[in-house]
Amino acid sequence: MVYFLYGEDTFRSRQKLDEIRAKYHAKNDEGDFGSFDCSESDGAEKCKAFFDTAGLFASKKLLIIQNPFAYTGSNMLSKMVSREDVLVDRDKVIVMVSVEAPKKKEWKFLLEKPVISEVFLLFKRTQIGPWMHARAKELGIVLDSHLTEKLTSTFGADLWTLDAELKKFSLLGRTNIGLSDALSLAEYPGTSNVFDFAEAFWKKDS
């Protein structure tokens, strides 16, 4: 069974990856697990060795392959993943994670059934606010509309940073969080709040 998670929004693709891992481990108390990055010199070889080697629980495996298209050697990796028995075996799961969509013909099968593919594009501005409010609800807080707008204009679709800030707000000990609460947080030396830090950072790089 093969999953293909791709797109520039690495926060949501990571969430999906964690969800797949959790479901697999909940269903399979015993099983071999491996995670390798093909941007490393021996990443692809480690993937193949792990998947082809008979382990203690050889019938059940979960293999996570990060940056599969970074491997520029032979087509051994695509051949392994595209095998018919691999595509239909629910006890052996491969999760491919990439920022880019497949470009080479040998990988085009990742966008076709039975592969389960999902793309995670960066949020448009109109999508960021609703995501923040939903995430805040999960953390037990409610965001003021002015704060939501300030966070959106400061960090855009950087969900990693937005999630980190929401987690900080959830530790303030109150449910309703406004702009003044966020401005009161002093996390960085020489700046009064996270917004000052972000503004200084962008000015430095401009």
Side-chain angles (χ1 to χ4, degrees):
M1 186 174 190
V2 178
Y3 291 88
F4 178 48
L5 313 178
Y6 68 106
E8 294 182 343
D9 190 342
T10 58
F11 181 88
R12 289 189 297 134
S13 64
R14 179 53 184 268
Q15 279 189 320
K16 184 64 177 182
L17 173 60
D18 290 344
E19 176 187 316
I20 294 171
R21 285 184 58 178
K23 287 183 177 179
Y24 181 86
H25 289 305
K27 182 180 178 181
N28 302 285
D29 294 333
E30 298 176 340
D32 293 333
F33 169 73
S35 179
F36 307 100
D37 191 333
C38 288
S39 64
E40 299 176 359
S41 58
D42 58 349
E45 287 77 10
K46 286 181 177 179
C47 289
K48 191 173 188 307
F50 169 82
F51 205 71
D52 290 346
T53 301
L56 183 59
F57 307 105
S59 64
K60 297 182 179 181
K61 289 178 180 284
L62 172 59
L63 171 61
I64 296 172
I65 304 178
Q66 301 276 0
N67 304 305
F69 311 136
Y71 174 66
T72 57
S74 67
N75 61 353
M76 68 167 185
L77 199 59
S78 60
K79 281 187 174 181
M80 180 191 80
V81 179
S82 62
R83 278 172 19 202
E84 186 175 352
D85 61 313
V86 173
L87 293 173
V88 299
D89 190 344
R90 291 183 174 273
D91 286 331
K92 293 182 179 179
V93 178
I94 297 178
V95 185
M96 315 277 287
V97 185
S98 172
V99 172
E100 299 179 339
K103 296 178 181 178
K104 292 185 177 180
K105 184 178 180 180
E106 66 186 271
W107 287 113
K108 293 296 184 180
F109 73 93
L110 290 174
L111 301 177
E112 303 170 355
K113 293 182 178 180
V115 174
I116 301 172
S117 64
E118 189 169 353
V119 60
F120 298 90
L121 302 176
L122 291 176
F123 275 158
K124 296 179 180 178
R125 186 180 180 88
T126 55
Q127 297 174 295
I128 300 171
W131 177 87
M132 270 195 284
H133 286 294
R135 180 63 179 132
K137 185 177 180 179
E138 293 175 353
L139 295 170
I141 57 177
V142 177
L143 302 180
D144 175 85
S145 60
H146 297 293
L147 174 56
T148 302
E149 178 58 30
K150 182 67 173 178
L151 288 167
T152 300
S153 61
T154 304
F155 299 111
D158 183 356
L159 301 191
W160 288 103
T161 299
L162 290 172
D163 186 67
E165 293 308 310
L166 296 183
K167 288 177 179 176
K168 292 177 190 176
F169 300 156
S170 71
L171 300 176
L172 290 175
R174 58 178 69 94
T175 300
N176 296 306
I177 308 297
L179 183 57
S180 61
D181 299 308
L183 293 173
S184 69
L185 292 175
E187 292 290 338
Y188 305 95
T191 61
S192 60
N193 56 69
V194 67
F195 301 116
D196 288 344
F197 173 79
E199 183 178 357
F201 176 82
W202 292 117
K203 283 184 178 179
K204 173 177 70 66
D205 282 4
S206 62

